[in-house]
């Protein structure tokens, strides 16, 4: 490929519009100690970020009182201020850590859940009473709170981390200038080709 052809390809790529895909997280989590542990199908409410597109992953701080226990995780949309029917449900998890410590366990959605910006969502841990415990601490997350046994407990939050993809943001391009340079590059390449042909005649 000639130099002029390479230049034309580069300029054409510059001229094409682009978009940047990013990720955003809400919540707080990290292995360690908790001030309390919730159980009996505890729920944590949260808000999707203002530029959220899909929910892809949820991490939870989980523990058990004496021996390993099974539980599932479900995601719910808002229904008049309360969790609606589950829109995503995990397979079975088994706790790996005993209180007062907790372990981080990750639920990756098999199909990313499409959400709207600032949508109210709920994460629910489903387990028999006094088995799998969700680590809880004092209120640290301003956009949600704990729901324990159906009772709102805004003074507490569970340890969680929700990961979202965000709406692609168009990348600014120099489209007009690139097209001008593209045209100049083609014209320059044509002139060089004509000159070479004349020299070889």
């Amino acid at each position: 490929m000639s130099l002029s052809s390479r230049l034309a390809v580069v300029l054409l790529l510059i001229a094409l519009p682009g978009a940047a895909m990013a990720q955003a997280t809400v919540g707080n989590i990290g292995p360690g100690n908790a001030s309390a542990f919730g159980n009996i199908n505890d729920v944590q409410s949260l808000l999707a970020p203002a530029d959220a597109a899909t929910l892809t992953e949820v991490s939870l701080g989980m523990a058990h009182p004496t021996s390993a226990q099974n539980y599932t995780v479900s995601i719910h949309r808002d229904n008049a201020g309360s969790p609606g029917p589950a829109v995503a449900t995990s397979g079975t998890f088994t706790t790996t850590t005993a209180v007062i410590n907790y372990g981080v366990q990750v639920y990756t959605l098999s199909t990313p859940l499409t959400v709207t910006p600032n949508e109210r969502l709920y994460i629910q841990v489903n387990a028999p009473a006094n088995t799998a415990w969700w680590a809880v601490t004092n209120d640290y997350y301003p956009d949600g709170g704990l729901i324990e046994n159906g009772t709102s407990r805004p003074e507490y939050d569970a340890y969680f981390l929700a990961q979202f993809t965000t709406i692609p943001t168009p990348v600014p391009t120099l489209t007009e200038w690139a097209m001008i340079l593209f045209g100049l590059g083609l014209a320059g390449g044509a002139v060089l080709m004509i000159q070479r042909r004349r020299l070889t005649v």
Side-chain angles (χ1 to χ4, degrees):
M1 182 182 290
S2 67
L3 179 60
S4 60
S5 298
R6 292 175 183 175
L7 178 61
V9 171
V10 172
L11 292 174
L12 180 60
L13 291 175
I14 294 174
L16 294 175
M21 179 69 75
Q23 294 184 334
T25 57
V26 299
N28 183 34
I29 201 166
N33 298 336
S35 59
F37 286 86
N39 61 90
I40 317 177
N41 302 334
D42 282 336
V43 177
Q44 172 70 41
S45 66
L46 66 144
L47 278 184
D51 56 352
T54 65
L55 173 65
T56 59
E57 186 176 279
V58 173
S59 301
L60 308 177
M62 298 297 298
H64 53 256
T66 54
S67 60
Q69 301 291 330
N70 295 334
Y71 69 96
T72 63
V73 180
S74 54
I75 309 298
H76 304 253
R77 297 191 192 277
D78 184 72
N79 181 19
S82 298
V87 292
T89 303
S90 73
T92 300
F93 286 93
T94 301
T95 56
T96 59
T97 309
V99 297
I100 60 174
N101 296 313
Y102 66 88
V104 177
Q105 296 188 291
V106 180
Y107 166 36
T108 301
L109 280 70
S110 57
T111 302
L113 177 66
T114 300
V115 300
T116 56
N118 297 314
E119 180 179 358
R120 175 67 62 190
L121 298 170
Y122 301 86
I123 306 169
Q124 179 168 324
V125 168
N126 308 292
N130 299 313
T131 56
W133 289 0
W134 196 355
V136 174
T137 190
N138 293 330
D139 180 37
Y140 70 85
Y141 176 63
D143 294 324
L146 186 70
I147 302 173
E148 189 174 40
N149 303 329
T151 300
S152 178
R153 301 292 301 274
E155 70 273 24
Y156 293 110
D157 283 306
Y159 278 116
F160 79 98
L161 196 66
Q163 182 168 295
F164 298 83
T165 61
T166 58
I167 299 169
T169 302
V171 176
T173 60
L174 300 176
T175 304
E176 293 180 359
W177 283 107
M179 292 304 294
I180 292 171
L181 293 173
F182 179 69
L184 291 174
L186 289 178
V191 170
L192 288 174
M193 291 297 294
I194 292 172
Q195 288 179 343
R196 287 178 181 176
R197 288 179 180 177
R198 287 178 177 175
L199 291 175
T200 56
V201 173

